[in-house]
Amino acid sequence: MAKLRISDDWWTAPAEGDGGTLILVTGRRAMDNVIASGLYRYRVEVTWPYEGDEKGLPAYADSKVMEEVTDALNDCFDRDPVAILTGIYTGDGQRNWVFYTRSLHIFQRKFNEVMAPFPTLPLVFEAEEDPDWQEYREMSQCEVADGED
């Protein structure tokens, strides 16, 4: 069986939160082949609520840890693609990572391994079946095409 190619091409675009605050949306491009494989049926959203500045964005120290966590998670799942990070939302007082995974149990074990060296964070987890990748498709609509203002 051929190895599934997982894109590492990302985009970032501004969006507006419910209260009119700025939310930065970062998404992974070119996931059609992964969606078509039917292997990643479960969506896991991991939310880190934080005390935001006047724009709802994290303090510099928090943002540094967020990026370190993101890099560590990407490194882990690049080596063992039991899950794929597909989207990141930052703003309105929270960072939200969106993953699609083959196994909730293995995802949990790998996630905990990655997080072990980090300080305890106030993370909230939600998981559900999303075999059609509905959340990903909605997030992808936020991408701003080249040349758009």
Side-chain angles (χ1 to χ4, degrees), residues 8-143:
D8 195 30
D9 186 14
W10 294 85
W11 56 268
T12 299
E16 190 172 302
D18 293 337
T21 58
L22 171 68
I23 297 182
L24 296 173
V25 180
T26 301
R28 191 184 294 248
R29 286 188 180 98
M31 298 302 294
D32 290 341
N33 64 320
V34 177
I35 296 168
S37 77
L39 296 172
Y40 296 85
R41 301 184 51 81
Y42 304 100
R43 183 180 72 244
V44 179
E45 297 185 24
V46 181
T47 303
W48 173 354
Y50 58 80
E51 193 67 40
D53 64 13
E54 65 279 352
K55 294 179 183 175
L57 297 174
Y60 179 75
D62 284 344
S63 69
K64 292 296 286 179
V65 175
M66 288 173 187
E67 291 312 306
E68 290 170 9
V69 167
T70 300
D71 290 346
L73 290 166
N74 270 326
D75 288 347
C76 172
F77 293 124
D78 284 350
R79 285 189 311 276
D80 184 3
V82 69
I84 302 168
L85 177 61
T86 59
I88 305 167
Y89 300 83
T90 307
D92 205 20
Q94 64 183 19
R95 161 66 67 102
N96 184 271
W97 292 275
V98 179
F99 297 87
Y100 281 85
T101 185
R102 299 173 180 218
S103 165
L104 295 174
H105 174 74
I106 297 171
F107 173 83
Q108 179 184 15
R109 183 172 50 81
K110 292 287 191 183
F111 191 93
N112 287 338
E113 288 172 8
V114 169
M115 296 305 294
F118 291 97
T120 301
L121 301 173
L123 301 178
V124 178
F125 293 79
E126 292 184 31
E128 66 181 87
E129 280 195 70
D130 185 5
D132 298 324
W133 287 50
Q134 190 61 40
E135 190 284 335
Y136 176 81
R137 294 175 196 282
E138 290 171 12
M139 176 204 61
S140 294
Q141 295 174 9
C142 292
E143 182 178 4

